[in-house]
Amino acid sequence: MTVERYQIHVADEVLEDLKYRLGHVRWPGLFEEAAWDRGTDQAYLKSLIAYWRDQFDWRAREAELNKLAHYRCKVEGLDIHFVHERGKGPNPHPLILTHGWPDSFLRYEKIIPMLTDPASYGGNPEDAFDVIVPSVPGFGFSNRLQRKGINNSNIAGLWATLMTEHLGYSKFAAAGGDIGSGVTRYLAFNHPELLSGIHLTDIGLIKNLLAVQDKSGLTEEEQLYIQNTSQWIAEEGGYMQIQSTKPQTIAYGLTDSPVGLAAWIIEKFRAWSDCKGDLRQSFSEDELLTNIMIYWITNTAGSSANLYYENTHTLPPLGPFEVPTAVALYPGDVCLPPRAWAERNLNITRWTTMPRGGHFTAMEDPGPLADDIREFFRPFRD
């Protein structure tokens, strides 16, 4: 399958079925004054569902998304959807951006023009990028995963093939967060000859550090990371345990109920962002619902959850690599890594602590992230 242009278009019957489901919700009972303590707050969710049912205009958002240059092609047997926007500058550098869960390619919608056309945002056209944003296999408009063994390492291989054989780039930059951080690190580990550098907004859970028994040789920062992250996993990691062990079980509810899907996703947007407990400070209802819609209309809630299972059961070890690496950390994110560990295990050449932002910073506050990406890759363009 050659690279072909792609347009998003959802059938009317899918939207009609969704509207019916949103109008016939069976709500659970409530504990008194539970708010967000026991999960997604019902008062907020009812407000969001009412907006979704009565005011949200998918066709308008669909038209906005279709202003981007969408493509699909078959890569190693999988149909991969991606956005490919060309840079406006004398020598745009190719950059592949990889999203995570529970977001989608939509994570990078705001930052794409800042990277392709920096001059329009007060930057230098010499910093322009050709930006490629794929939908991770199992997510959105890429193939739903129905075969075993697709993990972050395999996806890195798919991206290498996409960029070199299908798009014709001999060398490129890569960036990502969440699952996208893992995929990007495996790109650097498995295909260092293809990369000018990588930019990360997190480095994932450091499992080998969490497993250390004798902590006497660790720095104070590393010991604090173990303490804080262990507490976070105990209090906030239920979704991860379910999706890593029994993703098919949760898939039934998320696939059948748009309200269940919304509750599952927005709890994470609230907990992992820099919204200070108020989602409206970081995201509009249209942004949240467009992301949820991408899961709903493509029926990929279960498929995306399966990637957690594969990464737990089939992912090979990740070793050290020499590809230049930038890390930008955001105060609203979770499980912030100790710098000393990162510098021992990654080739850190840039470390930025941002004043604001969270896990979904490309959606929350894209400007500083675009600046950091431009500045980091500037010396590697030649």
Side-chain angles (χ1 to χ4, degrees), residues 79-317:
D79 290 334
I80 300 298
H81 158 262
F82 59 97
V83 172
H84 189 189
E85 289 288 339
R86 300 283 183 173
K88 298 178 180 179
N91 188 27
H93 192 52
L95 169 66
I96 186 166
L97 300 172
T98 309
H99 67 82
W101 183 92
D103 54 278
S104 59
F105 78 92
L106 190 71
R107 172 190 276 237
Y108 296 113
E109 180 186 18
K110 293 178 182 176
I111 204 172
I112 290 173
M114 298 178 181
L115 296 172
T116 57
D117 186 15
S120 293
Y121 294 85
N124 189 330
E126 293 184 358
D127 288 334
F129 293 89
D130 284 349
V131 176
I132 299 89
V133 185
S135 291
V136 170
F139 290 69
F141 302 103
S142 288
N143 261 117
R144 291 200 296 272
L145 290 182
Q146 295 177 308
R147 75 184 198 213
K148 298 178 181 178
I150 303 297
N151 53 43
N152 284 356
S153 181
N154 302 132
I155 294 167
L158 295 174
W159 283 189
T161 301
L162 172 67
M163 294 295 283
T164 57
E165 297 183 17
H166 294 275
L167 300 182
Y169 295 115
S170 60
K171 197 151 189 150
F172 56 91
D178 195 81
I179 287 168
S181 169
V183 171
T184 301
R185 282 177 281 133
Y186 273 95
L187 261 173
F189 179 60
N190 295 331
H191 307 278
E193 75 285 355
L194 299 179
L195 292 172
S196 56
I198 64 171
H199 187 284
L200 309 173
T201 53
D202 62 73
I203 56 175
L205 294 179
I206 308 173
K207 294 181 180 179
N208 59 355
L209 184 55
L210 294 171
V212 170
Q213 297 298 312
D214 181 9
K215 299 178 176 56
S216 60
L218 300 179
T219 67
E220 183 178 343
E221 187 185 20
E222 287 169 332
Q223 294 186 40
L224 185 62
Y225 171 83
I226 293 173
Q227 177 184 327
N228 291 341
T229 302
S230 298
Q231 182 178 350
W232 180 86
I233 290 172
E235 296 177 355
E236 299 287 343
Y239 79 97
M240 186 167 49
Q241 298 300 323
I242 292 172
Q243 295 188 166
S244 297
T245 57
K246 297 294 186 287
Q248 191 63 28
T249 301
I250 193 67
Y252 295 110
L254 301 183
T255 299
D256 190 58
S257 170
V259 174
L261 177 65
W264 193 246
I265 288 177
I266 63 171
E267 182 206 309
K268 305 311 173 195
F269 271 79
R270 178 182 179 273
W272 300 351
S273 68
D274 198 21
C275 71
K276 309 295 191 297
D278 181 3
L279 277 158
R280 294 178 181 89
Q281 286 195 23
S282 294
F283 313 101
S284 70
E285 282 86 352
D286 279 9
E287 286 177 311
L288 292 172
L289 290 171
T290 301
N291 183 65
I292 293 166
M293 282 288 289
I294 290 172
Y295 282 85
W296 180 259
I297 61 184
T298 59
N299 192 10
T300 51
S303 180
S304 61
N306 264 285
L307 185 53
Y308 278 75
Y309 185 96
E310 295 297 339
N311 281 338
T312 299
H313 293 87
T314 69
L315 191 63

Side-chain angles (χ1 to χ4, degrees), residues 321-326 342-350 376:
F321 52 81
E322 293 303 317
V323 174
T325 301
E343 290 177 338
R344 286 199 307 272
N345 291 274
L346 306 171
N347 183 18
I348 303 293
T349 61
R350 182 181 177 88
F376 170 65

